[in-house]
Amino acid sequence: MEILWIIIAVVAAIIVLTIFFTFVPLGLWISAMAAGVRVGIFTLIGMRIRRVVPSRIVNPMIKAVKAGLDVQIDKLEAHYLAGGNVDRVINALIAAQRADIPLEFERAAAIDLAGRDVLQAVQMSVNPKVIETPVVAAIAKDGIELRAKARVTVRANIDRLVGGAGEETVIARVGEGIVTTVGSAETHKQVLENPDLISRTVLSKGLDAGTAFEILSIDIADVDVGRNIGAQLQMDQAEADKRIAQAKAEERRAMAVAKEQEMQAAVQEMRAKVVEAEAEVPKAMASALREGKLGVLDYYNMQNVVADTGMRDSISRMSAPKNDQPQK
């Protein structure tokens, strides 16, 4: 009976110890105490209850204390519960301290919660980043196209990381500056002779305003001559004018053809009227004979005149080809 109670006591002790070590990370507490970080055992138990992984808070706290940072564990836990990366924030604070960059925990936590990599931002403040723009096509006043590519050296501005525009805005503004500079040049040769003209013009516009970066320099990596857009536009305009002229000429030709057809129709109409009038002559003569207004002798005399006229016409037609033949 005593053995049974001993076994029950041992099992109960094992269960109690298991539950204890489940809620109390004793090893982590010992590590924190050894590193000089004062974390109460009940604080660790409270983290377990609040569904906070104690190692995600204690380990960064140990690094902060060893680096000489004054950070409260409640702020670290609050940042973790807000969805932030505590370890990255502490690493950024340590890097900023080593680089003599003023950065507070609240600012670093806000940058991290905004979705930006605060550690990368600190590193970029120490080691500037080079952003290469895509090829930007612009046209000078003489109609020649230039294709330029620029390299923009930027440094992160920690004060403007929250709410500041990103790399896409910087690239777009630099491209706009290139187009403006090339477009204002009288000839493309001016830009080819002085590529730094683009850099000076773009830098003078203050393109980093409202962005999360500070532009240090803009270097033109490459400038190539593209198409002759002015000549191409003139050729297109000439082709368009040619087509318009052809269309107008075709319209005039169609109108002339229509006018000719109208004239031919008018001639046919007049001929029909002449034939109609000639057809009325025999009727009029017959009516005159019946009414006694025209005598028989008068009719024969008129017929003789018509026959004589017809004979003369026949003779003239027969003699015309002989007169036109050249002499041998």
Side-chain angles (χ1 to χ4, degrees):
M1 193 68 179
E2 294 179 359
I3 297 175
L4 180 60
W5 284 108
I6 293 174
I7 294 174
I8 295 174
V10 171
V11 172
I14 293 174
I15 294 174
V16 171
L17 291 176
T18 302
I19 296 174
F20 178 79
F21 286 112
T22 300
F23 281 92
V24 180
L26 189 60
L28 188 62
W29 178 74
I30 295 173
S31 299
M33 295 299 293
V37 178
R38 299 195 176 189
V39 181
I41 194 69
F42 292 102
T43 302
L44 298 177
I45 295 175
M47 291 181 185
R48 290 288 193 186
I49 297 174
R50 289 187 293 272
R51 299 180 181 276
V52 176
V53 181
S55 59
R56 299 287 183 88
I57 305 298
V58 176
N59 290 332
M61 187 68 182
I62 293 174
K63 286 194 295 185
V65 171
K66 289 297 183 182
L69 298 177
D70 185 13
V71 181
Q72 298 178 3
I73 195 168
D74 292 337
K75 293 183 179 181
L76 298 181
E77 187 176 354
H79 184 65
Y80 178 85
L81 291 173
N85 192 322
V86 178
D87 190 63
R88 185 165 54 193
V89 170
I90 294 300
N91 290 336
L93 291 174
I94 294 173
Q97 183 190 41
R98 297 294 185 269
D100 199 14
I101 298 176
L103 179 63
E104 298 178 354
F105 175 81
E106 287 75 11
R107 170 68 66 177
I111 295 172
D112 184 64
L113 292 176
R116 297 184 182 273
D117 193 338
V118 61
L119 179 59
Q120 182 181 4
V122 174
Q123 293 173 348
M124 194 183 300
S125 298
V126 179
N127 185 19
K129 180 182 179 180
V130 177
I131 302 175
E132 186 169 338
T133 65
V135 177
V136 179
I139 303 174
K141 290 184 179 181
D142 59 355
I144 304 299
E145 180 188 41
L146 294 180
R147 303 172 63 87
K149 182 187 293 186
R151 289 190 176 93
V152 185
T153 304
V154 297
R155 180 171 57 195
N157 191 328
I158 296 178
D159 294 333
R160 295 202 299 256
L161 277 177
V162 178
E167 295 182 9
E168 294 79 6
T169 302
V170 174
I171 293 175
R173 290 181 179 179
V174 172
E176 179 185 356
I178 293 175
V179 172
T180 303
T181 304
V182 176
S184 61
E186 294 295 333
T187 63
H188 70 286
K189 295 181 180 180
Q190 294 180 357
V191 181
L192 293 176
E193 292 174 356
N194 300 303
D196 57 338
L197 179 64
I198 300 177
S199 302
R200 294 197 303 268
T201 304
V202 174
L203 282 175
S204 63
K205 292 180 176 294
L207 302 181
D208 53 0
T211 65
F213 304 99
E214 178 185 353
I215 297 178
L216 301 179
S217 66
I218 299 176
D219 305 312
I220 304 302
D222 187 19
V223 179
D224 295 328
V225 179
R227 300 172 297 168
N228 192 337
I229 304 297
Q232 184 65 37
L233 292 176
Q234 292 179 359
M235 292 173 60
D236 294 342
Q237 185 63 40
E239 183 66 22
D241 294 341
K242 174 184 174 183
R243 293 180 180 178
I244 294 174
Q246 289 177 347
K248 291 182 177 179
E250 182 65 21
E251 181 182 359
R252 291 194 296 269
R253 188 190 69 81
M255 293 177 64
V257 171
K259 187 67 176 179
E260 182 182 1
Q261 296 295 329
E262 291 177 359
M263 296 301 295
Q264 291 179 358
V267 170
Q268 294 296 330
E269 182 180 0
M270 296 303 294
R271 287 179 179 176
K273 290 181 179 180
V274 171
V275 172
E276 182 180 1
E278 291 178 350
E280 295 293 332
V281 173
K283 295 180 180 180
M285 292 176 64
S287 176
L289 288 173
R290 283 194 301 268
E291 295 174 358
K293 295 180 180 180
L294 181 66
V296 176
L297 293 178
D298 295 332
Y299 176 74
Y300 279 116
N301 289 333
M302 185 178 64
Q303 291 295 326
N304 289 332
V305 172
V306 172
D308 184 62
T309 302
M311 181 182 65
R312 290 176 183 274
D313 290 340
S314 299
I315 293 172
S316 64
R317 284 195 297 269
M318 292 175 62
S319 62
K322 294 181 181 180
N323 294 333
D324 294 339
Q325 292 180 357
Q327 297 181 358
K328 295 183 180 179

